[in-house]
Amino acid sequence: MLNKLDKESSGIVAIQENSNRLIGEMAYLQAGSYKFEVPNGVDNIYVAVLGAGGSGGSANSLHATGGGGGGFAGGYLKVFSGESYNITVGSGGAGVATPNTNGNAGGSSSFGNLLSATGGAGGLWQSTATTELKGGAGGVGSKAASVIAGITFNGGRGGNKESGVTGAVQYTGGGASGSPFGDGGNGGDIIASVLAGTTNYTGGGAWGGGNGGRCITAGTGFKATGGGGLRN
């Protein structure tokens, strides 16, 4: 499953089993609507659903935050040959080419009415440097009561920029999607007042809750932090 879904994509993977014996695997990784029909001989499937991430805000020498990661939902379903399920795969938030524009939300993905994951919200931009600026919120996963051994995890949020940061250029990283490892990591925050003229970039989050690096000290010049590491 994890070789089909990664933190850069949205999609759905259905792993087909018969009496706990693996029969096959189908992946739906392109945004759109599909129909899954249970093949002959399949009585159980494991389904993983991933919402799409939001795009970051765009700013021209101002402040902008990263988008949120999509949510995750997964679990086993008891099925019968010939049954069909509607599938929706959400599209990633469209990148913003126009300066000083908020990012776009990612689309939601679902497997019938049994498993679903919403997309992450888009990041924001601002021209008023001294006020707080939030990163895009992460998506959430949900499951029906009939899902066996179901799990849901949230996408990480984009990094926040704290109020009082006055540097001309401040950009935060995006959040990672939720995954079987847990909630996605958050984008790094800019959390301390920074002297005017300082440029700061923070890292993006990672699967399993690894957070991007944060800019936390005042000073002049250019500062950038790394992305979060994978926790497994």
Side-chain angles (χ1 to χ4, degrees):
M1 176 180 64
L2 294 182
N3 65 328
K4 294 293 195 305
L5 288 181
D6 60 46
K7 64 185 178 64
E8 301 298 333
S9 68
S10 63
I12 293 175
V13 170
I15 298 176
Q16 305 152 33
E17 298 180 349
N18 185 339
S19 300
N20 297 321
R21 179 173 63 88
L22 179 64
I23 293 177
E25 179 178 303
M26 296 186 68
Y28 304 85
L29 304 181
Q30 298 295 320
S33 298
Y34 306 90
K35 187 176 291 289
F36 172 76
E37 185 169 319
V38 179
N40 290 333
V42 172
D43 54 21
N44 288 281
I45 58 174
Y46 180 85
V47 178
V49 176
L50 187 65
S55 62
S58 173
N60 184 11
S61 298
L62 296 168
H63 297 191
T65 58
F72 173 86
Y76 288 92
L77 305 175
K78 181 69 175 176
V79 296
F80 299 94
S81 298
E83 285 184 321
S84 62
Y85 295 87
N86 292 322
I87 287 175
T88 299
V89 177
S91 59
V96 177
T98 304
N100 306 337
T101 306
N102 291 336
N104 295 299
S108 298
S109 300
S110 61
F111 188 90
N113 60 358
L114 300 172
L115 292 161
S116 64
T118 62
L124 305 176
W125 80 281
Q126 69 176 183
S127 59
T128 304
T130 57
T131 59
E132 182 183 29
L133 188 64
K134 295 282 191 181
V140 299
S142 62
K143 59 183 177 61
S146 59
V147 176
I148 302 167
I151 55 174
T152 61
F153 292 106
N154 299 332
R157 60 166 173 78
N160 295 330
K161 190 221 69 174
E162 187 182 61
S163 62
V165 175
T166 58
V169 179
Q170 311 289 332
Y171 300 129
T172 68
S177 67
S179 74
F181 302 115
D183 293 337
N186 298 324
D189 298 329
I190 300 172
I191 62 173
S193 296
V194 180
L195 297 180
T198 298
T199 297
N200 291 288
Y201 300 89
T202 65
W207 267 19
N211 296 324
R214 301 183 297 174
C215 287
I216 61 174
T217 58
T220 59
F222 174 92
K223 298 191 182 90
T225 65
L230 174 66
R231 185 184 69 194
N232 57 23

